Amino acid sequence: MASEHPRANLQPLTLHVPEPRFRPGDAVDFATVDVPPAGSARRPDTAEPARDFTELAYTMVRVLDEDGQAVGPWDPKLSPDALRKMLRNMALLRAFDERMFRAQRQGKTSFYMKATGEEAVAVAAAQALDFEDMCFPSYRQQGLLISRGYPLVEMMNQIYSNRGDKLQGKQLPIMYSARDYGFFSISGNLTTQYPQAVGWAMASAAKGDTRIAAVWCGEGSTAEGDFHSACTFASVYRAPVIFNVVNNQWAISSFSGFAGAEATTFAARAIGYGIAGLRVDGNDALAVYAATLWAAERARTNAGPTLIEHFTYRAEGHSTSDDPSQYRSAGEPTAWPLGDPIARLKQHLIAIGEWDDERHAAQDRELAEYVKAEQKEAEKNGILGHGLHQPLDTLFDGVFEEMPWHLREQQAQMMAEEEASGRPWARKS
Amino acid sequence: MNMIQAINSALDVCMGRDPDVLVMGEDVGYFGGVFRATAGLQAKYGKTRVFDTPITETGIMGVAIGMGAYGLRPVPEIQFADYIYPALDQLVSEAARLRYRSAGEFIAPITIRSPYGGGIFGGQTHSQSPEGIFTHVSGMKTVIPSTPYDAKGLLIAAIEDNDPVLFLEPKRIYNGPFNGYWDRPAENWSKHAAGDVPTGYYRVDLGKAAIVRPGEALTILAYGTMVHVCAAVIAEHGIDAEIVDLRTLVPLDIETIEASVKKTGRCMIVHEATRTSGFGAELSALVQERCFYHLEAPIERVTGFDTPYPHSLEWAYFPGPVRIGQALKKIMKDA
């Protein structure tokens, strides 16, 4: 068909489909990852308007240098006790992850997700926030619960869906909810917690409260519409909220390029909304702590929301259902230029003469024993692998505050089925 | 009062009684809403309790959930029910399940108000009836009033309810009841008993249907605008039908439905929404399961068609007196 408007001398258009730099079998060289020197990023006053420090969305706030020294304006100057507490919580999180990952492999539960390599993101933030602040986590912030002193047994009860599980076996393992510890119920739908955190923060502000909200999502899910709705709301009402984007490079098997990382940084998302944006070395616990504290102060003084990109690396699979060797080079985790967050904080404590290898090894042994003992306690309440532990009729609890007739009828039907089948499931007394 | 005024009064009463109730949505603040349902509330209760929002329905819904989780009782408005779809995930996956998934640790005591339904030449995006989508979702309630009196009492009950409630307002009867004839003058609520709305507090409990016209010949199950169209049609045909206004679709008043159908032996279901998998299908199944041996004729469904809502042809789409009249003749054939 001849066109009235011939375009024969135009170049054909091409579609760009991003591709990660390394695939299985490739040698890894992260030389192109720009790692600015520790201490080089300026620290604005928290009252400064966001538009005055947009460069912080493109550089990287780093405190710990190559020698393990804390340098520059973002050094939070924490006491040795506070540093050791942070180190211990990160090591405890890693020990917990190891143990629960193994429990899944042993068939004791259906599913688990580790935070290996990104322990600083949740643990350091938890230490910088007030206990009363509300956290809206995604599924890899178990470090918040561990840092806030939530009992490991309760976490394990949830993972095992056993009779001690406070969520009555209704949620996938690791989808915790702990209101008294300022930990919002986790959703499997990505980034839905973003506008919810803004709503919580707006409610706190509307009531003249002093508590703020903090929320986490992965870099991949910044593509979700809810992320952008939340940024708009937070900007419009200057909500006292901290947006954390955990850029761990991989959203299951999709690299960060599929969320737009080739074109800009995730911290720079803040600029278009007029929100403060910080890009932080996510494997530097002191940088994460300092950035969170700074953002919390902005929120608490009505200076508005902050978006923090935590530049980190997911050292292991997305979950127990994932095999990263199928899509990325095996060399990536060890070649990651920002190192291991636990090793770096340990190095710092040793460098300032407040820690040593022997104490660290002893702590690791103690934590492993502690987690093991807690696991033993939790398993007294049963494991998912041994069948169902919840009273059967609780299946209908909590759909509504009061059970309507159609649910009562269905509940009665289910109990009659159980009667007929002779299954040994417990009833709610 | 007309229905708009009754809704405004319900919001006013709830905000006056409970400082945790707040109203939010596109244009609801200074301007008072495109239908004026929130007029005067911002001036009375201030900008932190009645405020305009960005145009992002998923944001409105997510923010309302977070406010509810904090302990407030937000009443978000979605300007037209057709725009609930961008908020679908927040409603379905979050609000409706928050209590269940957190075993009661967090709840979403929110009431989503939204004008719905056709008959105003609103085209595809200002006319839809989405209730069937939400009655399919576990964990949320769906309420649809048909009179100013019910609108106020039901809205107060919805705001006081600790579960998420979708409160759909039939905008065709905001100003007065409607006989189904687009070319005949419409009535005004001031001439109707249900327009006599008390200014103070009262509740119409959720989950209770109303027999708006008792009768013996057949049972008509309807809600919203259709209650009035059905009343006009049976008057025209001289049929002694019992009209049951469902008022709440979830939870449904099955006892009233069952008693009525067993009494009359015939059942006709009328709604504006598209037919396939509509709420009428659920009603039909329930009546068949519970009243089969009392039925003297097959259950009749009168609904909108399975097409997008048309603009200039909307009166061909709308389940009006002709379609309802034909169904009446069919179901009464052997009477």
Side-chain angles (χ1 to χ4, degrees):
Chain A
M1 192 172 69
S3 167
E4 281 183 60
H5 307 284
R7 298 180 296 173
N9 60 346
L10 295 180
Q11 275 186 47
L13 297 168
T14 61
L15 181 68
H16 173 67
V17 179
E19 184 61 29
R21 290 171 48 78
F22 319 111
R23 285 298 194 188
D26 292 345
V28 176
D29 177 4
F30 279 123
T32 55
V33 175
D34 188 27
V35 180
S40 60
R42 80 177 174 110
R43 184 185 184 280
D45 190 273
T46 54
E48 252 188 71
R51 63 175 172 276
D52 288 358
F53 47 85
T54 53
E55 83 280 5
L56 292 176
Y58 297 101
T59 179
M60 205 183 287
V61 172
R62 306 182 71 231
V63 173
L64 291 173
D65 70 10
E66 311 308 311
D67 304 320
Q69 296 296 339
V71 296
W74 287 92
D75 176 9
K77 298 196 169 28
L78 287 172
S79 71
D81 279 347
L83 292 169
R84 278 189 290 262
K85 182 179 163 194
M86 205 182 274
L87 182 69
R88 181 185 160 85
N89 280 331
M90 283 162 63
L92 177 56
L93 166 54
R94 190 167 288 184
F96 183 86
D97 277 356
E98 285 301 328
R99 197 88 205 159
M100 289 296 101
F101 183 88
R102 209 181 319 158
Q104 191 276 340
R105 290 294 189 247
Q106 290 166 340
K108 292 176 175 177
T109 189
S110 57
F111 181 76
Y112 193 73
M113 299 178 103
K114 298 168 91 170
T116 314
E118 41 187 296
E119 288 89 348
V121 171
V123 169
Q127 205 154 321
L129 292 168
D130 282 356
F131 188 84
E132 299 291 313
D133 296 333
M134 183 60 84
C135 298
F136 289 76
S138 79
Y139 45 69
R140 219 181 294 279
Q141 278 77 53
Q142 57 267 52
L144 294 170
L145 281 178
I146 284 179
S147 298
R148 289 186 163 207
Y150 190 70
L152 300 190
V153 169
E154 299 288 0
M155 294 173 77
M156 291 166 173
N157 286 340
Q158 200 281 326
I159 290 164
Y160 288 143
S161 279
N162 64 21
R163 61 184 159 270
D165 175 11
K166 290 191 167 155
L167 304 186
Q168 302 177 315
K170 284 168 174 163
Q171 269 279 42
L172 196 65
I174 64 102
M175 300 267 178
Y176 313 104
S177 176
R179 193 178 64 168
D180 294 345
Y181 288 76
F183 190 95
F184 190 73
S185 156
I186 296 176
S187 175
N189 289 28
L190 298 181
T191 326
T192 51
Q193 72 274 19
Y194 252 64
Q196 293 165 11
V198 175
W200 198 97
M202 286 173 65
S204 183
K207 295 299 276 184
D209 198 341
T210 58
R211 294 175 292 166
I212 64 170
V215 59
W216 286 258
C217 76
E219 89 285 351
S221 57
T222 58
E224 294 279 8
D226 283 18
F227 175 85
H228 301 277
S229 295
C231 288
T232 302
F233 263 83
S235 168
V236 167
Y237 304 101
R238 276 184 226 156
V241 63
I242 304 173
F243 293 130
N244 294 281
V245 174
V246 185
N247 180 1
N248 67 7
Q249 316 301 322
W250 291 96
I252 309 188
S253 71
S254 298
F255 87 115
S256 57
F258 284 102
E262 289 182 342
T264 184
T265 69
F266 293 98
R269 299 279 188 272
I271 294 171
Y273 295 102
I275 291 174
L278 292 181
R279 194 153 170 270
V280 168
D281 177 348
N283 288 12
D284 176 346
L286 296 187
V288 172
Y289 178 94
T292 306
L293 198 67
W294 181 87
E297 189 177 308
R298 276 183 71 83
R300 252 182 264 284
T301 53
N302 295 305
T306 301
L307 194 163
I308 305 174
E309 174 185 351
H310 301 268
F311 197 71
T312 181
Y313 187 83
R314 194 192 76 209
E316 300 218 16
H318 166 72
S319 74
T320 45
S321 308
D322 174 39
D323 176 6
S325 72
Q326 297 297 307
Y327 54 80
R328 73 183 185 191
S329 168
E332 276 198 31
T334 43
W336 183 245
L338 297 177
D340 177 290
I342 295 179
R344 285 176 67 192
L345 187 57
K346 174 191 163 196
Q347 182 198 15
H348 173 58
L349 269 161
I350 292 173
I352 60 172
E354 294 289 346
W355 198 242
D356 55 58
D357 282 322
E358 291 70 38
R359 284 164 82 181
H360 194 81
Q363 176 171 278
D364 276 347
R365 281 193 300 276
E366 180 234 320
L367 293 175
E369 284 306 311
Y370 171 48
V371 172
K372 200 171 153 189
E374 296 286 289
Q375 184 188 24
K376 224 171 157 186
E377 277 306 301
E379 289 181 3
K380 286 180 186 165
N381 296 321
I383 57 171
L384 182 63
H386 287 175
L388 303 177
H389 304 277
Q390 308 300 324
L392 200 50
D393 46 6
T394 61
L395 188 143
F396 291 87
D397 288 349
V399 180
F400 295 102
E401 186 174 33
E402 284 170 41
M403 204 180 293
W405 65 269
H406 62 288
L407 289 173
R408 280 200 306 275
E409 277 191 7
Q410 291 167 26
Q411 186 184 40
Q413 179 196 342
M414 184 193 66
M415 297 313 285
E417 280 171 20
E418 192 217 2
E419 207 71 53
S421 73
R423 281 181 292 228
W425 292 348
R427 302 268 175 81
K428 193 167 74 171
S429 54
Chain B
M1 288 185 199
N2 65 25
M3 194 182 285
I4 289 279
Q5 292 161 332
I7 286 161
N8 185 274
S9 177
L11 293 168
D12 189 7
V13 164
C14 288
M15 296 191 82
R17 286 166 62 95
D18 182 352
D20 288 338
V21 175
L22 51 85
V23 167
M24 57 190 281
E26 296 155 22
D27 303 308
V28 302
Y30 182 83
F31 178 55
V34 292
F35 289 102
R36 319 298 297 142
T38 56
L41 295 177
Q42 188 181 71
K44 188 165 177 184
Y45 296 104
K47 288 200 292 187
T48 56
R49 291 186 65 195
V50 184
F51 55 86
D52 295 329
T53 61
I55 304 174
T56 159
E57 286 76 13
T58 190
I60 293 170
M61 204 63 65
V63 161
I65 292 166
M67 290 178 154
Y70 177 93
L72 304 187
R73 291 188 175 277
V75 188
E77 175 182 296
I78 300 295
Q79 204 160 61
F80 286 89
D82 312 66
Y83 306 141
I84 286 184
Y85 303 124
L88 197 69
D89 185 45
Q90 284 287 351
L91 254 175
V92 171
S93 311
E94 303 295 319
R97 294 192 210 148
L98 187 56
R99 178 192 294 280
Y100 192 77
R101 80 174 193 224
S102 70
E105 278 201 337
F106 295 97
I107 61 171
I110 65 180
T111 302
I112 304 107
R113 285 185 43 246
S114 195
Y116 91 104
I120 60 147
F121 283 104
Q124 287 179 36
T125 53
H126 302 79
S127 305
Q128 293 168 76
S129 300
E131 67 273 14
I133 291 171
F134 297 100
T135 57
H136 189 63
V137 174
S138 310
M140 59 183 295
K141 297 176 178 174
T142 301
V143 178
I144 301 178
S146 73
T147 65
Y149 182 89
D150 281 0
K152 178 171 174 182
L154 287 166
L155 182 55
I156 290 172
I159 292 170
E160 291 181 346
D161 198 278
N162 284 329
D163 293 311
V165 180
L166 178 63
F167 191 87
L168 292 174
E169 300 164 4
K171 58 183 170 292
R172 186 65 186 78
I173 54 171
Y174 265 162
N175 295 310
F178 174 61
N179 60 16
Y181 294 97
W182 64 277
D183 53 353
R184 293 183 195 176
E187 245 189 284
N188 187 299
W189 279 118
S190 64
K191 297 178 186 127
H192 197 284
D196 187 12
V197 177
T199 52
Y201 175 89
Y202 67 92
R203 281 171 63 115
V204 174
D205 287 339
L206 308 186
K208 297 265 185 295
I211 295 173
V212 294
R213 185 207 181 275
E216 301 294 330
L218 88 149
T219 298
I220 296 177
L221 305 180
Y223 48 89
T225 305
M226 286 299 139
V227 172
H228 304 281
V229 179
C230 289
V233 175
I234 61 163
E236 193 177 306
H237 287 257
I239 290 174
D240 182 27
E242 179 150 299
I243 300 179
V244 178
D245 176 0
L246 299 180
R247 298 201 288 203
T248 308
L249 307 191
V250 177
L252 185 68
D253 183 353
I254 191 67
E255 285 177 16
T256 298
I257 294 170
E258 201 175 325
S260 178
V261 175
K262 282 181 176 168
K263 180 179 77 173
T264 64
R266 287 180 163 80
C267 180
M268 187 167 98
I269 297 158
V270 187
H271 63 58
E272 287 181 66
T274 48
R275 186 181 189 85
T276 302
S277 304
F279 193 67
E282 175 63 26
L283 289 170
S284 174
L286 283 168
V287 168
Q288 187 276 139
E289 283 165 2
R290 284 156 197 268
C291 309
F292 181 77
Y293 295 108
H294 299 263
L295 288 175
E296 292 161 32
I299 299 163
E300 273 294 314
R301 269 193 292 165
V302 185
T303 69
F305 297 128
D306 288 348
T307 68
Y309 210 102
H311 180 232
S312 68
L313 299 176
E314 92 167 331
W315 292 105
Y317 177 96
F318 194 85
V322 174
R323 198 175 309 157
I324 296 170
Q326 284 175 347
L328 273 177
K329 281 182 199 149
K330 193 173 160 199
I331 197 169
M332 298 307 294
K333 189 175 58 179
D334 304 323

